[in-house]
Amino acid sequence: MDKTPLVGPDFAAGRELIEALERTGIPVAFAGWLSLRETFDWQLYIASPDVQTYGPTTVIRFVDTLLTAIESPLSLGNLRITNTSNHFVNRIPESYGPRQITPHPTRIVGIAFDDGYIVEGFVYKIDRKLKPSKTAPRANAATLKRARSLAA
């Protein structure tokens, strides 16, 4: 199976989404593009403690609204929003990734473990010490305005 290429606009759109999430108060413990041997497709993995606390549906709905608000070329089909105990996310050593979002993600190659294999990846951020936000994510006018101000 041929691997789908990851192009520059994907890097920028991914970084913009992560920055918008953090600007709106969603803690992001891990963010990075991963290509798994099982699919060879690139997926932007986003892990947040809010997924455990408020549930995946709440966070996914918020992200979907945010994608529209910032006019992102990404869609939910490009994303894997997960909790911080996701085994792919936890198998990537902290030494591979920066603690803060950077314009140029750190490249990782060939991480194998019991039930999976990351062929290649580009990590924006790893910070496993984050706590969930105090309130569930809500797509109110003020939150979306903060997100759009970033994209402008």
Side-chain angles (χ1 to χ4, degrees):
M1 177 182 274
D2 288 334
K3 187 167 125 178
T4 305
L6 184 66
V7 295
D10 293 332
F11 283 125
R15 185 181 65 249
E16 182 179 281
L17 175 60
I18 302 312
E19 289 172 346
L21 284 167
E22 289 190 328
R23 184 178 210 105
T24 59
I26 304 296
V28 177
F30 174 86
W33 289 98
L34 300 179
S35 174
L36 307 179
R37 179 173 46 201
E38 294 78 26
T39 63
F40 286 97
D41 288 331
W42 287 99
Q43 296 289 312
L44 178 58
Y45 276 73
I46 301 169
S48 173
D50 278 9
V51 174
Q52 285 108 300
T53 304
Y54 304 112
T57 303
T58 299
V59 177
I60 290 168
R61 284 182 181 159
F62 180 81
V63 170
D64 191 33
T65 302
L66 186 62
L67 287 168
T68 301
I70 65 172
E71 298 177 359
S72 177
L74 301 176
S75 70
L76 289 179
N78 302 110
L79 308 179
R80 290 293 174 254
I81 298 168
T82 183
N83 60 43
T84 54
S85 63
N86 177 284
H87 64 285
F88 289 113
V89 171
N90 285 326
R91 290 298 188 123
I92 299 172
E94 287 198 21
S95 60
Y96 278 113
R99 286 245 176 226
Q100 297 181 2
I101 300 169
T102 62
H104 306 287
T106 301
R107 183 173 184 243
I108 59 174
V109 179
I111 298 177
F113 42 96
D114 299 340
D115 60 349
Y117 184 81
I118 298 171
V119 176
E120 188 174 11
F122 294 91
V123 177
Y124 293 102
K125 178 182 181 180
I126 297 176
D127 186 352
R128 291 190 172 89
K129 296 178 181 146
L130 293 176
K131 303 238 185 270
S133 55
K134 294 185 193 259
T135 60
R138 298 190 68 152
N140 59 35
T143 301
L144 296 177
K145 183 177 179 181
R146 279 195 306 274
R148 281 191 294 269
S149 70
L150 170 75

